[in-house]
Amino acid sequence: MKSKFFFFLALASMLFVASSAKKVHTLGDSTMAPYDENATVTRGWGMYFGNFLTNGWTCVNYARGGRDSRGGYNELWQTAKKNVEAGDYVIISFAHNDEKNDGMDGYQLKDYYESIGQTWSELRGSIPYSTYKENLGKIVDESIALGATPIICSPVCRSYFSGGKIRRNGRHDLGDSFSILTADGPKAGNSVPASDHTMDYAYHSEQLAKEKGISFVDLTTATAALYESYGDAKCHEYLFDGEGSTHFNTTGALLVARECARLMKAQGIMADDIVLPTDLSVTPANGDFGEAYRGQTLTKEFTLNGFGLTPESGTVTITATEGITLSTNKKDWTDALTATYAASTLVQTFYAQVTLAENGQFTGTITVSANGSAAASPAGSTIEIPVTATAIVLEGGTEVKVYWRLESDDSYELTGPATVIPESWTGMYVQRYSNPNANTTWPEWTGFDASRKTQRNLLTGDAWPADEIDDNPSRYIQWGIKPATGTTLSIDEISLFVCGCGGNGMCSHIYYSTDNFETRTTIFEMKKMPANNMQYVEAKPVVKLSEGQELLVRVYPWYNGAATGKTICLSDLTIHGMASDASSTGIDDLPTDNSRWDGSATYDLCGRQIDNRKSVNRKSFGIVRQSDGTFKKIIY
């Protein structure tokens, strides 16, 4: 009886621990999505929502650029729901890409054009009062079924100003101009009065929340008020990334995340678990730079912020211990910075840099201090941020390198034991192989000139759409690699050249992923690439692939405005790493009967004796029994 009591006590303890680890899952588009701080200045507000949660809560951001509500359900939610547990919250916010077809549904357009013998490629887009609500509703219903609490947030505004106010379409109401699909095809140029919410995505997201009896957060109205408080020019200067009227910089994303948290707390949603600090704080509070190779320089972004500070104006000093340098622009590096604030508000982005000169762990500290006397300084006037980084070296194993020249075809050269995933195209094709342009320039260190041929790629249908601002998830070029049987593969380099040809409007994101793009890491982002100017992309990831696991590299291009004849040019893609025998070689399970082993003999992984070492393929492995009775793995 006593043992049963302790069993149930242990079980209850485990359930308590499991239930105490609560999560907020965020699903949305590029305005919410995570971005690599070293690749772009663009930030999504979902990156910062976790700043306002108490300890014990974690924010997991599944948002991705280019996703509409259908992609939110079919792709993002299918990944997220594997991790959603009872007691979690799910924040849902879509609309920017639901407007792709001027208020029409992309799949309905596809069906119509196929019925008349034509094709239609833009499958994103939904009808606000029907397919948009249906897609969101499925996420809501399945969240509830999992025991989670769904919250619908209306979409953040685009900063489309007119007379000091955000225009109707900036608030995601297409009522001034929209299209409808009729039996005779799309009919453009329709409109309804401002009092008619038929084509208002934010309105219909609120109606869905009411119908489902769940919480609604009106970020559309809140962000309109935020933008208007700055005015057109300052709004774009202070809150946006400099690439249009949709995507935020760090300040904008942080303020929107805080506004979402404030509205939730005011409505009693997670009220005890949301904190809106009024003193100084730094995000992240822990400067863990992670792992990198010895000799690499790592850069990490921090955000210093304070709201309602006392006194109303002042300065804050940021210093660092030896081995850490600081910057506000990633160009000028020093060991100390000063940030000035006014109107009791401070939002300052700064960067810290560490060079890993030696193996092992690096440690240091960044200190943030408010200047002046304690009585005249903001609360929480001194903050210490621990900094850690770990230098590693790839040693042993066999070098692996796969190289696509992309000069005349998509063939590749492989050195070492690995399995290559050939180049493939989704929504794209190779137009031809040629030099991008007689005026093409390459980085001087390459020694290449304009005669060097590259792979020129074009989207299916040849015409770039007019309104693209981010990835199209159905358009990309892909390559990959995975370990050979019986090996693990450590990847330490991905590199290639990329440029646009035919105009200065080509844009692209380049990512890699080890889970078939359920998650991804950005290694390059560039908008409005200078025509015929080859950009060198190089990443040095610390990635270890187990047998059966794949590393995929994808290029997602789009064009800034409607265009034809514009291509994205690619050249010299390399994936490099080191292969070693898999950890699950079965060595520990091999027989220990000495009669099976000869100290001078070599055996393969199945325990078969190898008589002629010279005949062994260099990609094979063997096991040698040493004189002390232990076994050593040998790579040939």
Side-chain angles (χ1 to χ4, degrees):
M1 195 67 163
K2 188 174 182 180
S3 62
K4 287 185 178 180
F5 170 79
F6 283 112
F7 169 78
F8 285 114
L9 181 63
L11 179 60
S13 298
M14 287 188 290
L15 290 174
F16 174 79
V17 170
S19 64
S20 64
K22 301 297 186 182
K23 298 181 290 294
V24 176
H25 308 267
T26 54
L27 302 173
D29 52 42
S30 57
T31 60
M32 181 193 274
Y35 292 87
D36 187 324
E37 63 195 39
N38 294 312
T40 179
V41 299
T42 305
R43 302 288 182 267
W45 68 265
M47 298 171 66
Y48 302 99
F49 184 77
N51 295 8
F52 305 102
L53 300 177
T54 58
N55 291 336
W57 285 88
T58 301
C59 184
V60 187
N61 190 4
Y62 297 93
R64 293 289 181 269
R67 273 53 175 185
D68 63 355
S69 59
R70 181 180 281 108
Y73 175 75
N74 290 336
E75 180 187 354
L76 307 184
W77 174 242
Q78 301 311 311
T79 298
K81 72 179 182 181
K82 301 173 187 175
N83 304 313
V84 173
E85 299 176 340
D88 290 353
Y89 284 79
V90 180
I91 296 177
I92 309 160
S93 184
F94 292 93
H96 286 78
N97 298 296
D98 288 271
E99 302 165 16
K100 284 295 180 185
N101 287 306
D102 294 327
M104 297 181 291
D105 186 88
Y107 278 82
Q108 293 178 9
L109 283 167
K110 177 178 181 291
D111 291 342
Y112 167 76
Y113 281 109
E114 287 182 349
S115 72
I116 60 173
Q118 298 180 22
T119 60
W120 183 258
S121 60
E122 182 53 271
L123 300 179
R124 292 174 296 176
S126 66
I127 302 168
Y129 53 83
S130 60
T131 50
Y132 174 67
K133 289 178 65 178
E134 291 164 10
N135 294 329
L136 297 183
K138 289 190 287 187
I139 302 176
V140 168
D141 291 343
E142 292 182 20
S143 297
I144 294 172
L146 291 170
T149 301
I151 301 167
I152 290 182
C153 287
S154 61
V156 298
C157 289
R158 301 180 194 268
S159 53
Y160 293 167
F161 276 85
S162 177
K165 296 291 184 180
I166 299 298
R167 297 199 309 262
R168 192 177 182 185
N169 61 338
R171 291 182 277 110
H172 303 283
D173 181 353
L174 304 185
D176 285 339
S177 179
F178 62 93
S179 299
I180 57 175
L181 180 60
T182 71
D184 299 320
K187 178 184 176 184
N190 302 279
S191 64
V192 293
S195 59
D196 187 326
H197 297 289
T198 301
M199 299 304 295
D200 187 340
Y201 288 86
Y203 172 83
H204 287 291
S205 69
E206 182 177 14
Q207 295 308 300
L208 175 67
K210 290 178 179 178
E211 293 166 13
K212 298 289 185 181
I214 65 170
S215 297
F216 172 75
V217 176
D218 189 356
L219 271 186
T220 308
T221 298
T223 52
L226 175 66
Y227 301 170
E228 289 167 4
S229 71
Y230 279 83
D232 193 347
K234 288 185 177 180
C235 178
H236 283 86
E237 179 182 356
Y238 295 145
L239 306 183
F240 286 82
D241 67 355
E243 296 290 346
S245 302
T246 301
H247 298 116
F248 304 115
N249 60 17
T250 303
T251 300
L254 178 66
L255 291 177
V256 170
R258 189 178 192 276
E259 189 65 3
C260 181
R262 184 189 67 80
L263 292 171
M264 288 173 59
K265 190 175 183 71
Q267 293 175 222
I269 307 167
M270 298 185 69
D272 295 334
D273 301 302
I274 289 177
V275 178
L276 301 172
T278 57
D279 55 0
L280 287 176
S281 61
V282 179
T283 304
N286 189 311
D288 182 4
F289 283 68
E291 292 183 332
Y293 300 106
R294 187 179 64 193
Q296 261 188 280
T297 297
L298 302 179
T299 303
K300 191 172 186 67
E301 180 180 276
F302 295 85
T303 303
L304 171 62
N305 58 82
F307 304 92
L309 299 178
T310 302
E312 293 185 356
S313 60
T315 59
V316 175
T317 300
I318 309 165
T319 58
T321 54
E322 185 177 358
I324 305 171
T325 53
L326 306 169
S327 176
T328 57
N329 58 13
K330 292 200 281 190
K331 297 177 182 178
D332 304 308
W333 296 91
T334 181
D335 57 2
L337 299 171
T338 299
T340 302
Y341 71 90
S344 298
T345 301
L346 171 63
V347 178
Q348 175 67 61
T349 300
F350 69 93
Y351 305 90
Q353 198 170 78
V354 173
T355 299
L356 300 178
E358 299 179 357
N359 290 351
Q361 191 172 63
F362 170 89
T363 60
T365 305
I366 297 171
T367 302
V368 177
S369 303
N371 295 337
S373 65
S377 298
S381 57
T382 299
I383 303 169
E384 290 193 346
I385 307 162
V387 171
T388 58
T390 303
I392 60 175
V393 178
L394 282 183
E395 295 179 336
T398 304
E399 182 180 20
V400 170
K401 177 181 177 182
V402 57
Y403 171 66
W404 285 266
R405 169 63 184 86
L406 305 180
E407 180 182 24
S408 58
D409 56 34
D410 61 349
S411 62
Y412 58 85
E413 300 173 4
L414 173 64
T415 303
T419 300
V420 175
I421 300 167
E423 184 177 17
S424 61
W425 295 261
T426 298
M428 300 197 72
Y429 70 98
V430 178
Q431 183 197 49
R432 65 183 184 273
Y433 293 87
S434 69
N435 60 315
N437 187 281
N439 299 319
T440 298
T441 60
W442 296 77
E444 186 176 349
W445 57 265
T446 64
F448 301 156
D449 59 31
S451 64
R452 187 175 179 83
K453 293 182 178 181
T454 66
Q455 183 185 81
R456 299 178 61 159
N457 299 276
L458 196 56
L459 78 168
T460 303
D462 296 352
W464 299 93
D467 59 349
E468 293 196 315
I469 57 172
D470 209 329
D471 292 353
N472 182 329
S474 300
R475 183 197 308 137
Y476 58 86
I477 306 166
Q478 175 178 282
W479 306 259
I481 193 170
K482 60 183 178 180
T485 302
T487 72
T488 60
L489 182 58
S490 296
I491 302 297
D492 63 355
E493 180 186 336
I494 302 168
S495 63
L496 71 155
F497 290 95
V498 59
C499 81
C501 181
N504 296 318
M506 186 62 67
C507 311
S508 73
H509 287 155
I510 304 178
Y511 310 101
Y512 73 81
S513 174
T514 59
D515 57 11
N516 198 31
F517 276 82
E518 286 193 4
T519 60
R520 58 188 182 175
T521 299
T522 308
I523 61 175
F524 178 79
E525 173 181 309
M526 193 169 187
K527 299 170 184 175
K528 303 177 186 177
M529 290 190 279
N532 313 311
N533 191 328
M534 297 300 293
Q535 307 294 318
Y536 181 59
V537 180
E538 182 182 50
K540 293 189 176 294
V542 178
V543 172
K544 187 172 184 178
L545 302 175
S546 302
E547 185 175 349
Q549 191 176 13
E550 299 177 341
L551 174 107
L552 299 176
V553 179
R554 288 183 183 175
V555 175
Y556 284 83
W558 72 98
Y559 203 79
N560 182 42
T564 57
K566 316 297 185 184
T567 58
I568 183 164
C569 304
L570 303 169
S571 181
D572 298 272
L573 172 66
T574 299
I575 303 175
H576 181 274
M578 297 289 289
S580 48
D581 58 320
S583 58
S584 56
T585 57
I587 292 174
D588 293 336
D589 300 324
L590 291 172
T592 57
D593 180 0
N594 285 343
S595 64
R596 285 282 310 275
W597 305 99
D598 179 343
S600 62
T602 303
Y603 300 82
D604 68 15
L605 293 180
C606 296
R608 296 183 294 258
Q609 182 172 337
I610 299 171
D611 296 321
N612 183 359
R613 295 186 186 182
K614 293 182 179 179
S615 68
V616 178
N617 187 289
R618 64 187 296 274
K619 302 175 187 177
S620 300
F621 303 98
I623 303 169
V624 174
R625 181 177 184 271
Q626 301 181 103
S627 58
D628 62 359
T630 61
F631 299 108
K632 182 178 181 181
K633 296 172 284 184
I634 303 294
I635 300 174
Y636 294 93

